[in-house]
Amino acid sequence: MLYVFLSICCSVIVSIMLKLAKRYQIDVFQAITWNYSMAILLTWLFFKPGVPPLQSAPLGIYVAVGFLLPVIFMVMAVSVRVAGIVRTDVAQRLSLFIPLLASFLLFGDKLNLLKIVGLVIGFAAILLSIPWQKKTANRKVVSNAWIYLLIVFFGIGIIDILFKQVAAFTAVPYTSSLFVIYILSFVIALIILGIRIFTKQTKFSWPHIGFGWLLGVANFGNILFYLKAHKALSGTPSTVFSAMNIGVIALGTLVGLVVFNERLSILNKIGVGLAVVAIVVITLSNK
């Protein structure tokens, strides 16, 4: 569970940086693009990965993840703008249902009573932790906003499943797989950025690039530890799926309370408490 905890911390750092990006008028699209260049560099420096032979590599999975990572990241940014932060957060957290369902139907994970109890508590924690009553003043939800929410819901769920498959593919070192995925993500994001620059929606700026590189450090840690968690807990993928989502909510809420002085309702506080209980119960269910 150490790898799960480290992945949760990196994930929350990414969220904090994205929140600060809006405050300091950072172009999130450009930051997302350059974050992958830093992830590529860190992967090469720390692990010296080799390029896997084409005949033994799951190229279809690589392409799918490489495409989805930057695209879903950018769709989330649009979703926040047209549907609001609260609705986007609901879609993101409820995507937990997709990989959990896959872990039992596709990956041979087994349920026991304690795990069921932990998952039920976890779902309750998710629902209670979301700020349902938060107002979106001066914001109109556009008629097609549900499309972006649906893409976020399915996109994040599918990415979780694909990363599980990458971690389970032992014929290729996972660091090599990660290296290829980062390269594909950077190329795809760079193409999208090039289109935005050509259409004069944005322009190159060092603050955006520098922020993106810092974002890449946290993003690198998030995905690296997430893959390590799946390898360490390969027999129980539902543990990783659930603990990650529940843990991000719990830690993210606490950081929002302490760092950003966000207010918590009574239900939110109960949700954070239940999230901690759920992680403990799910951990015990594997022993």
Side-chain angles (χ1 to χ4, degrees):
M1 293 298 286
L2 174 62
Y3 291 134
V4 174
F5 174 73
L6 292 174
S7 183
I8 289 170
C9 291
C10 291
S11 178
V12 171
I13 291 173
V14 169
S15 298
I16 292 172
M17 293 188 68
L18 289 177
K19 186 165 186 174
L20 292 175
K22 182 178 180 181
R23 177 182 298 179
Y24 295 104
Q25 299 181 328
I26 297 294
D27 180 4
V28 176
F29 288 88
Q30 192 166 163
I32 289 171
T33 299
W34 296 111
N35 110 89
Y36 290 115
S37 66
M38 177 57 71
I40 292 170
L41 177 62
L42 290 175
T43 302
W44 182 78
L45 287 176
F46 280 93
F47 302 107
K48 298 293 189 296
V51 177
L54 296 180
Q55 66 271 18
S56 62
L59 294 180
I61 297 177
Y62 289 168
V63 173
V65 179
F67 174 79
L68 286 174
L69 280 178
V71 170
I72 297 302
F73 218 154
M74 294 176 183
V75 170
M76 284 177 60
V78 176
S79 180
V80 168
R81 189 174 72 248
V82 301
I85 295 175
V86 175
R87 293 175 179 83
T88 303
D89 189 59
V90 170
Q92 183 180 357
R93 298 313 171 197
L94 292 184
S95 68
L96 170 65
F97 283 98
I98 297 175
L100 275 180
L101 185 62
S103 67
F104 300 119
L105 297 180
L106 302 178
F107 302 130
D109 200 352
K110 294 182 180 180
L111 281 172
N112 57 46
L113 180 59
L114 199 58
K115 183 171 290 185
I116 293 174
V117 171
L119 293 176
V120 170
I121 296 174
F123 286 134
I126 290 174
L127 295 176
L128 291 175
S129 298
I130 294 171
W132 297 97
Q133 302 302 319
K134 188 174 181 179
K135 297 180 180 179
T136 53
N138 301 320
R139 179 192 298 275
K140 292 183 178 180
V141 178
V142 299
S143 59
N144 64 343
W146 64 272
I147 297 176
Y148 297 100
L149 294 171
L150 202 61
I151 293 174
V152 169
F153 173 78
F154 282 105
I156 293 179
I158 292 171
I159 287 173
D160 280 348
I161 294 173
L162 291 175
F163 266 130
K164 164 59 184 174
Q165 291 180 308
V166 170
F169 195 84
T170 56
V172 177
Y174 72 92
T175 51
S176 296
S177 297
L178 199 58
F179 188 62
V180 174
I181 288 171
Y182 282 144
I183 292 175
L184 290 171
S185 295
F186 181 54
V187 170
I188 292 170
L190 202 59
I191 292 172
I192 297 174
L193 177 61
I195 294 173
R196 296 186 75 239
I197 292 174
F198 181 76
T199 56
K200 298 182 179 180
Q201 297 180 53
T202 188
K203 61 181 180 179
F204 283 109
S205 175
W206 280 110
H208 302 319
I209 296 173
F211 190 89
W213 286 339
L214 291 176
L215 185 65
V217 174
N219 199 24
F220 169 78
N222 176 26
I223 296 178
L224 176 67
F225 291 126
Y226 185 67
L227 284 175
K228 280 181 172 289
H230 270 302
K231 291 187 76 69
L233 300 170
S234 58
T236 55
S238 62
T239 299
V240 181
F241 291 141
S242 54
M244 268 297 299
N245 281 270
I246 297 167
V248 166
I249 286 180
L251 184 58
T253 303
L254 292 175
V255 169
L257 178 65
V258 176
V259 178
F260 295 103
N261 197 29
E262 295 179 353
R263 294 184 178 181
L264 291 179
S265 67
I266 297 298
L267 289 179
N268 295 157
K269 294 177 180 178
I270 294 174
V272 173
L274 287 179
V276 175
V277 172
I279 293 174
V280 173
V281 172
I282 292 173
T283 302
L284 292 176
S285 71
N286 294 309
K287 297 183 178 180

